[in-house]
Amino acid sequence: MLGHNHDPSAEMSRSRIRLALILTAAVLAVELIGGLAAGSLALLSDAGHILTDLFALGLAWFALGQASKPATARLTYGYHRVGIITATLNAAVLIVIVAGIGIGAGFRLLDPHPVRGVLVAATALLAMLVNTYIALSLRRLGSDLNLRAAMLHVLADIAASGAVLVGGLVIMATGWVEVDPILSLAIGGLIGWGSIRIIRESVTVLLESAPVGLDVEEIRALISRAEGIHSVHDLHVWSIAPQRVAMSCHVVVDGEQTAAAAELLVEEVERRICESFGIGHTTIQIESANPCRSDLGDPGNAPHNHPQPHTWSGLTHRHDHYDER
């Protein structure tokens, strides 16, 4: 189900993201040089924020490439979690950068340094223009979660560069250099907030938690409402990757149903789950005759064994609605 796929749209997406990576790296270099030349901690902080864009774009580019790799005998779900691990490590590095920005801003507030407002404003304006072009380019690439995350990073950097531009203009007009470290603290907070969100979401995926906003009990209720299903147990919902959600469960059906009828019933349940909750990877175990103790009051999904086979020896139906990639 997770075979190799050569998708022209995916190739086009990777090509545009590659261009965005190159342009973002160029903006990063310009802001680093401009920040050092102007003596502006705000510009250097904005360069740190652009570094988060570079990570986000790199992860989106990397994830598109990894998703096209086929699953193996050992990596049966493929390489979808490589990007999650990388994102966690990157976010941890960014938190260290935020700490450095905070310390530097504190020293600047205590001992203000001269800042060249004209150079700050000119550099920030250039960064805004390039990032606006990148945002317009990414806007046409679709709704993939990694691409949306990269897009949000770029939009946040446009806002941060706008704040630095205003700061440069304030310095030019008033000579109030303290605005520079104040803006750097604000940008550092933006980087830190985004990094903590990445870590939290990554840990949620690695712990195989149900995705935020997806109610497992609503899924249970939807399955239970299907005609012919008496009960549902061992229901598990987890994320393989942020954009790939999987579900497995056992359902008890009328023992008088034929295997073919049960198979059609499961296909209908899978269709409803996919349409209602966007879950494309499902594995449903069909049981008949006596339900397990989960059905007799076990409130959760406590692990248990089936020492005796049920009527159909456990007819299993697994389906994957995801594209072959």
Side-chain angles (χ1 to χ4, degrees), residues 209-228:
S209 303
V212 176
L214 198 157
D215 191 330
V216 176
E217 291 308 312
E218 286 185 7
I219 297 175
R220 186 191 303 275
L222 182 146
I223 298 172
S224 300
R225 286 196 299 270
E227 185 177 354

Side-chain angles (χ1 to χ4, degrees), residues 31-267:
E31 288 213 343
L32 282 173
I33 295 171
L36 293 172
S40 171
L41 187 59
L43 264 181
L44 293 176
S45 299
D46 195 36
H49 189 246
I50 288 178
L51 187 61
T52 68
D53 296 347
L54 204 60
F55 283 148
L57 289 167
L59 285 173
W61 181 81
F62 182 69
L64 284 172
Q66 293 299 306
S68 66
K69 287 186 177 181
T72 67
R74 287 179 61 84
L75 298 173
T76 55
Y77 277 123
Y79 293 79
H80 297 283
R81 286 197 173 173
V82 173
I84 299 298
I85 297 170
T86 306
T88 306
L89 295 174
N90 285 339
V93 172
L94 290 172
I95 288 177
V96 175
I97 292 174
V98 169
I101 291 172
I103 293 171
F107 281 119
R108 284 292 185 92
L109 286 171
L110 293 173
D111 182 21
H113 285 57
V115 178
R116 299 170 64 183
V118 174
L119 187 54
V120 171
T123 305
L125 178 60
L126 176 61
M128 280 187 66
L129 293 174
V130 175
N131 278 307
T132 299
Y133 172 80
I134 293 171
L136 292 173
S137 177
L138 294 179
R139 184 169 172 268
R140 297 189 290 269
L141 293 185
S143 58
D144 176 82
L145 184 61
N146 284 304
L147 295 175
R148 282 163 48 202
M151 178 72 170
L152 288 174
H153 272 268
V154 175
L155 291 175
D157 195 65
I158 292 172
S161 296
V164 175
L165 173 60
V166 171
L169 295 174
V170 169
I171 293 171
M172 290 169 56
T174 67
W176 184 42
V177 295
E178 285 83 357
V179 70
D180 188 73
I182 291 172
L183 285 171
S184 71
L185 285 173
I187 295 169
L190 186 63
I191 300 172
W193 179 72
S195 300
I196 291 171
R197 283 188 61 192
I198 291 172
I199 291 175
R200 185 174 66 245
E201 291 173 10
S202 299
V203 169
T204 297
V205 172
L206 293 175
L207 289 177
E208 297 190 339
S209 303
V212 176
L214 198 157
D215 191 330
V216 176
E217 291 308 312
E218 286 185 7
I219 297 175
R220 186 191 303 275
L222 182 146
I223 298 172
S224 300
R225 286 196 299 270
E227 185 177 354
I229 292 181
H230 294 301
S231 61
V232 183
H233 61 93
D234 280 350
L235 174 61
H236 301 278
V237 182
W238 70 100
S239 296
I240 302 169
Q243 71 277 23
R244 298 182 68 86
V245 181
M247 186 213 78
S248 67
C249 69
H250 293 198
V251 297
V252 178
V253 301
D254 189 343
E256 296 181 358
Q257 284 197 35
T258 65
E263 184 79 3
L264 291 175
L265 173 61
V266 170
E267 288 181 358

